[in-house]
Amino acid sequence: MRKGFTTMREIRKRGVVGALAVGALALSACGSSDEPSTSDPTGDTGSGEAVTLDFWYSVSGVPADTLTALVDEFNDAHDDITVNAVFQGSYVDSMAKLTNAVQSGDLPDVIQGGDTFSTYLHDTGLTIAPGEVAAVTGTVFDGEDLVPVLANYYTFDGVLSSVPIMVSQPVVLYNAALLEEAGVDPAQVPSSITDLFDVAAEVHAATGTAGLTVFLDPWWSEQFSASEGLTYCTPDNGVGSDPADAFILTSDAQIGIWEHLQQLVASGTMLNTGTDGSASLTAFASEQAAIMIQSSRIFGDAERAAGFEFGTWPLPVGSPDGGAVPGGNSVWLIDEGRSAEQLAAAATFVQYLASPEIQARIFVETGYLPTSQEALDSLQGEVTDVQQVALDQLARTTDSVPSAGCHTGAMNEAREAVKSAVEAVVGGADVRATWEDAEARGNAAIADYLDRLG
């Protein structure tokens, strides 16, 4: 057994995978020791036999178009490696299928995991750290070229657990014409979430058009807290030596933000489009709302949908320690039952996706941020003004505890509680009582997860 890991066989004996899965799912580029080889014309695995890899992915829309095109190009360039890309639905759907696959033994070779499933995937013992697997060319992903805040997010106990390939941060898209009609200067970037809400109210008062739209999602609770430099769970957002054991959702600053947002909905300043991000985009693209808070991954879809030129602001950060928490996804290498040839082929594919040139392309085509520092540097001044805002935000995001976000295997279950709270608050429920209930439910989820983990 390799140091620091538990074999899947031992985990099955203890019943941990099943226990983790039930609790987590019921509710719901590269730095290497050598020059990275991202376009090996032969893809020779060294075994003399072709290797076929199953790659489970969950992105859709423009990002899916880009990702599947990259898979096709990888396959064309490698004679002995074929990647079979299989869409598995949402991240929640994919994790549920992974749980079933543990029982059947039909596991994928590589899986794209959503950000909040990172601790869960790490804890299952199904995966192997990318730094422990050499590609067919002998290169090893050491993570040295990762943007620091991203390396921080995906590191457990000092070891990089997976390879981020499609990472997002929140951004603010605005309709410049509507802002100017309201006398708002688009060059004046809001200084905090509260300031952004005030700008939206100003636009609504002057034009009669909704000033803001944002789809109802628990992600915003995490992002608004991080923007104010607040820790979302204790101790230390779960990124220190001790696991997270409680959520913090009811500080005065957090409650104040949600009371403010509730007022925006009641006054008509915020257009409530529900939980569907596509509905929010449609409202913005049809000029029913002047400002939209979204993920940077929306750029490609927004370019398709909007018939006007839109501008971008970074997520307003009201604290020196604050910053946008990385979202999106990373890819994980599954090692249970895998031969050395299969692992080497999988590492080759993952290093290809993480390479600087591919990371730059992913950003330009989709809006998912480059995870490679080399790619980030190469893109400076070479992209549109809208895209540059997202690059600048990533480059200046502090490598702090708040910007790391909360790490716990109970995150998905807790998000269900937060999702209910967000919807209830927008519907007019008592803000503090609603968030106190969500906090209690989240804490119960963490306690249950830690008990099962043993």
Side-chain angles (χ1 to χ4, degrees):
M1 182 178 71
R2 57 189 189 278
K3 185 177 180 181
F5 289 80
T6 302
T7 65
M8 197 60 236
R9 186 174 294 104
E10 289 173 318
I11 288 210
R12 284 204 189 100
K13 285 180 179 179
R14 302 203 316 258
V16 173
V17 165
L20 291 178
V22 170
L25 302 175
L27 294 174
S28 33
C30 73
S32 61
S33 55
D34 300 306
E35 190 69 15
S37 174
T38 61
S39 58
D40 174 18
T42 65
D44 185 5
T45 63
S47 66
E49 297 181 2
V51 174
T52 298
L53 303 174
D54 285 334
F55 169 45
W56 289 6
Y57 73 96
S58 293
V59 292
S60 58
V62 171
D65 294 342
T66 293
L67 185 59
T68 53
L70 290 172
V71 170
D72 289 342
E73 291 170 23
F74 177 87
N75 288 339
D76 289 342
H78 293 76
D79 292 340
D80 289 351
I81 305 174
T82 300
V83 176
N84 180 32
V86 185
F87 179 67
Q88 296 294 342
S90 69
Y91 297 127
V92 173
D93 293 337
S94 181
M95 292 301 104
K97 292 174 182 178
L98 182 68
T99 301
N100 292 333
V102 170
Q103 305 302 320
S104 67
D106 190 21
L107 293 164
D109 299 277
V110 181
I111 187 168
Q112 184 182 52
D115 54 329
T116 59
F117 285 102
S118 297
T119 301
Y120 168 74
L121 282 165
H122 171 265
D123 289 346
T124 61
L126 285 169
T127 64
I128 184 170
E132 296 191 24
V133 183
V136 296
T137 56
T139 58
V140 176
F141 189 93
D142 58 23
E144 290 184 0
D145 186 43
L146 283 178
V147 175
V149 68
L150 305 182
N152 178 37
Y153 188 90
Y154 289 102
T155 295
F156 293 83
D157 300 323
V159 177
L160 183 70
S161 62
S162 60
V163 180
I165 61 162
M166 286 183 157
V167 169
S168 61
Q169 285 184 319
V171 290
V172 181
L173 275 60
Y174 62 81
N175 184 321
L178 285 173
L179 263 60
E180 290 167 359
E181 181 183 342
V184 174
D185 182 4
Q188 296 297 314
V189 180
S191 60
S192 66
I193 295 298
T194 295
D195 190 22
L196 176 65
F197 288 172
D198 288 341
V199 170
E202 188 176 346
V203 172
H204 175 61
T207 67
T209 301
L212 176 69
T213 182
V214 54
F215 66 99
L216 307 185
D217 192 272
W219 198 45
W220 304 121
S221 175
E222 299 157 37
Q223 297 294 349
F224 294 165
S225 296
S227 73
E228 293 299 313
L230 303 174
T231 300
Y232 202 70
C233 61
T234 61
D236 300 323
N237 261 343
V239 298
S241 57
D242 298 320
D245 58 15
F247 283 97
I248 305 175
L249 307 179
T250 56
S251 70
D252 289 344
Q254 289 166 308
I255 296 300
I257 287 173
W258 289 102
E259 287 177 340
H260 198 163
L261 186 140
Q262 187 181 68
Q263 293 166 6
L264 297 183
V265 175
S267 68
T269 293
M270 175 177 154
L271 178 63
N272 178 16
T273 56
T275 60
D276 186 358
S278 297
S280 177
L281 173 59
T282 298
F284 177 74
S286 59
E287 301 189 80
Q288 297 177 57
I291 299 169
M292 175 176 65
I293 307 176
Q294 259 282 6
S295 161
S296 59
R297 59 81 56 207
I298 204 67
F299 285 161
D301 291 308
E303 289 286 355
R304 285 184 180 180
F308 57 90
E309 291 188 7
F310 56 86
T312 311
W313 291 324
L315 180 74
V317 175
S319 166
D321 293 329
V325 179
N329 59 75
S330 65
V331 288
W332 296 73
L333 296 168
I334 304 292
D335 70 334
E336 168 70 4
R338 269 35 187 188
S339 67
E341 289 78 14
Q342 287 174 307
L343 285 172
T348 302
F349 173 60
V350 169
Q351 289 184 28
Y352 159 79
L353 292 177
S355 64
E357 56 268 36
I358 297 302
Q359 280 300 303
R361 176 176 165 184
I362 287 173
F363 172 70
V364 170
E365 293 185 8
T366 72
Y368 272 117
L369 299 167
T371 64
S372 156
Q373 186 67 53
E374 181 179 335
L376 179 59
D377 293 342
S378 72
L379 288 165
Q380 296 297 330
E382 301 295 328
V383 296
T384 67
D385 291 343
V386 165
Q387 293 170 325
Q388 189 64 51
V389 168
L391 292 182
D392 291 343
Q393 173 175 265
L394 177 62
R396 67 170 173 264
T397 299
T398 58
D399 186 13
S400 65
V401 169
S403 67
C406 176
H407 287 244
T408 170
M411 194 64 175
N412 190 61
E413 187 174 355
R415 270 191 170 183
E416 288 296 321
V418 171
K419 179 176 180 291
S420 297
V422 171
E423 294 178 29
V425 165
V426 168
D430 181 271
V431 177
R432 183 168 290 280
T434 298
W435 282 105
E436 286 175 348
D437 177 68
E439 186 177 75
R441 290 172 60 189
N443 291 343
I446 286 186
D448 186 45
Y449 180 82
L450 293 176
D451 285 344
R452 292 194 307 271
L453 194 60

